[in-house]
Amino acid sequence: TKADRVSGAVLVNGEQLNAPVVVSSADVRRTLGTLVEPGLFDPAFLSAAANVRMRSPSVRVHLALDGDPTFGGGTPWSREALGGTITIAPTMAHLEQAYDAAKHGGMAESPCLQVTVPTVHDPSLAPAGKHVVTVHAQYAAHGLRGGWSAERRVAFGASVMRQLEAHAPQLSSRVLHMDVRTPADIEARYLVSEGSVLHGELALDQFLFMRPVPESARHATPLPGLWLCGSSTHPGAGTAGASGWLAAQEILRETPR
């Protein structure tokens, strides 16, 4: 109703939420298309938000190891080296081929990997002498042709291990457990549209004042009192909370005290 718009009340999952400021860190499509009553927005604005491209092509693979990771083979890496991000993407051609597979609805046979070993910095994440390895593997389509079956999940996990063992010999012999989370798994578990942990592709037409859409480039929505602060907003994912900080500055500037 008009009163709802003026007072800052919004409908969340069918229940009225009364507050002078409501801030959502969920992705723009889930916020405006699911959490908040769509009828409160102009159809053109809602359509623009609904068409923000997500299309996550990333799979997360988590490994529990019985011992140290074996990167470096005969000359094990230092703790400092293991504590950083290990990128396995041999050439630009390799990267392009991996992306082409996802672009056409498939999954890369030789995915590109970003590997971290969080237990180097926080040993409490695993029992003494054990380690956890997290792999951000690219690329595999969210909407995989034929769907994500258990067999395909296992196959992608095996391709990740082949890539890892080329740089960490005998790593598979130390794996106690492997957890493969596809874009579809991430969407279902963490409620991010199409499994996009970036909350939308970081592309030229979805960047800067175009993120998430021009009407909400400064975090406000057309509904007074409702703001966006998540990675769907500028400057986007991988910026250590910058989106939330910028949203807070705008809210403090625009909200009467």
Side-chain angles (χ1 to χ4, degrees):
T1 67
K2 185 176 181 180
D4 288 334
R5 294 171 186 266
V6 172
S7 68
V10 295
L11 296 178
V12 180
N13 292 337
E15 295 185 11
Q16 181 169 295
L17 179 61
N18 293 291
V21 174
V22 176
V23 188
S24 174
S25 64
D27 71 77
V28 62
R29 277 170 44 180
R30 187 163 295 275
T31 297
L32 303 180
T34 303
L35 296 177
V36 180
E37 172 57 49
L40 295 173
F41 300 101
D42 178 81
F45 170 77
L46 203 60
S47 176
N51 282 290
V52 171
R53 295 190 311 281
M54 301 290 177
R55 300 188 304 186
S56 173
S58 304
V59 176
R60 292 298 177 99
V61 179
H62 302 287
L63 304 174
L65 301 185
D66 185 17
D68 289 346
T70 55
F71 287 97
T75 307
W77 287 5
S78 68
R79 308 301 281 184
E80 182 180 1
L82 283 174
T85 298
I86 304 162
T87 301
I88 301 175
T91 65
M92 288 298 294
H94 177 265
L95 189 67
E96 185 174 3
Q97 288 172 358
Y99 184 73
D100 279 344
K103 184 170 66 177
H104 297 291
M107 57 185 183
E109 293 184 5
S110 298
C112 301
L113 312 178
Q114 288 182 302
V115 186
T116 57
V117 188
T119 38
V120 169
H121 297 294
D122 186 358
S124 69
L125 295 173
K130 316 294 185 184
H131 279 282
V132 173
V133 174
T134 294
V135 183
H136 180 67
Q138 301 180 117
Y139 296 91
H142 169 269
L144 192 68
R145 288 192 307 271
W148 279 100
S149 63
E151 292 77 13
R152 286 181 161 186
R153 187 181 284 103
V154 169
F156 194 84
S159 68
V160 168
M161 287 304 303
R162 285 194 299 271
Q163 289 290 95
L164 285 174
E165 286 216 303
H167 304 274
Q170 302 178 342
L171 181 66
S172 62
S173 65
R174 299 192 176 188
V175 175
L176 298 173
H177 180 71
M178 174 189 292
D179 176 45
V180 179
R181 298 191 180 182
T182 70
D185 294 330
I186 294 170
E187 178 175 31
R189 178 156 185 167
Y190 301 107
L191 303 179
V192 289
S193 298
E194 296 186 40
S196 176
V197 295
L198 300 179
H199 288 191
E201 293 180 355
L202 288 169
L204 287 177
D205 62 338
Q206 295 188 170
F207 199 48
L208 297 173
F209 70 93
M210 300 289 285
R211 191 170 186 86
V213 293
E215 294 87 341
S216 289
R218 299 184 70 90
H219 304 275
T221 72
L223 181 63
L226 177 63
W227 298 77
L228 304 174
C229 73
S231 293
S232 285
T233 64
H234 174 72
T239 52
S243 293
W245 186 85
L246 290 172
Q249 299 306 302
E250 286 295 307
I251 292 168
L252 289 173
R253 186 170 65 86
E254 295 291 336
T255 303
R257 301 188 184 184

